[in-house]
């Protein structure tokens, strides 16, 4: 089940060789727009170009200041749009439980 949430701020961080050895200078957090989310992945809008099959870190920050940092892979890009399908590296039941607990308005996709 996919949820539409407007109360979660999302940033991504690209993972590459430079970020692994280069320190904070190469670990830039890129703000993106969350279109929908589940405990398996999410759909985002990103002005920054992302390559399909690239590894990223998804940083989710709730209004309660609770933060999740999740390894993920870009699995698709919508043609003609800057929308990307993101698959989390593993099911994240803790995230799913927290989303249900903090959901105020139920909007499903």
């Amino acid at each position: 089940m996919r949820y539409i949430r407007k109360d979660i701020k999302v940033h991504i961080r690209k993972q590459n060789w430079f970020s692994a050895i280069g320190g904070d200078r190469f670990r830039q957090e890129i703000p993106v727009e969350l279109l929908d989310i589940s405990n398996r992945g999410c759909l985002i809008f990103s002005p920054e170009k992302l390559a399909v099959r690239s590894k990223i870190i998804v940083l989710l920050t709730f209004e309660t200041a609770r933060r999740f940092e999740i390894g993920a892979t870009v699995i698709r890009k919508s043609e003609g749009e800057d929308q990307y399908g993101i698959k989390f590296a593993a099911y994240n039941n803790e995230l799913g439980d927290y989303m249900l607990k903090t959901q105020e308005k139920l909007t499903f996709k």
Side-chain angles (χ1 to χ4, degrees), residues 43 76-85:
L43 180 65
R76 68 179 171 84
K77 179 188 185 302
S78 297
E79 277 301 313
E81 300 180 33
D82 294 329
Q83 293 182 5
Y84 298 90

Side-chain angles (χ1 to χ4, degrees), residues 82-105:
D82 294 329
Q83 293 182 5
Y84 298 90
I86 308 297
K87 181 179 178 184
F88 298 148
Y91 293 136
N92 198 311
N93 291 326
E94 185 181 354
L95 172 63
D97 292 344
Y98 194 78
M99 284 192 304
L100 277 175
K101 184 175 129 180
T102 60
Q103 183 78 28
E104 293 179 6
K105 180 182 174 191

Side-chain angles (χ1 to χ4, degrees), residues 48-59:
E48 179 93 13
K49 301 296 180 203
L50 302 172
V52 174
R53 292 188 293 279
S54 63
K55 302 289 185 196
I56 61 172
I57 300 291
V58 178
L59 306 148

Side-chain angles (χ1 to χ4, degrees), residues 7-18:
D7 62 331
I8 305 172
K9 291 185 181 173
V10 182
H11 292 80
I12 60 168
R13 190 168 50 221
K14 294 180 180 181
Q15 287 186 301
N16 55 37
W17 187 79
F18 293 113

Side-chain angles (χ1 to χ4, degrees), residues 58-74:
V58 178
L59 306 148
L60 305 167
T61 306
F62 287 78
E63 288 180 341
T64 60
R66 176 72 202 248
R67 186 172 166 123
F68 289 86
E69 195 167 314
I70 304 167
T73 303
V74 178

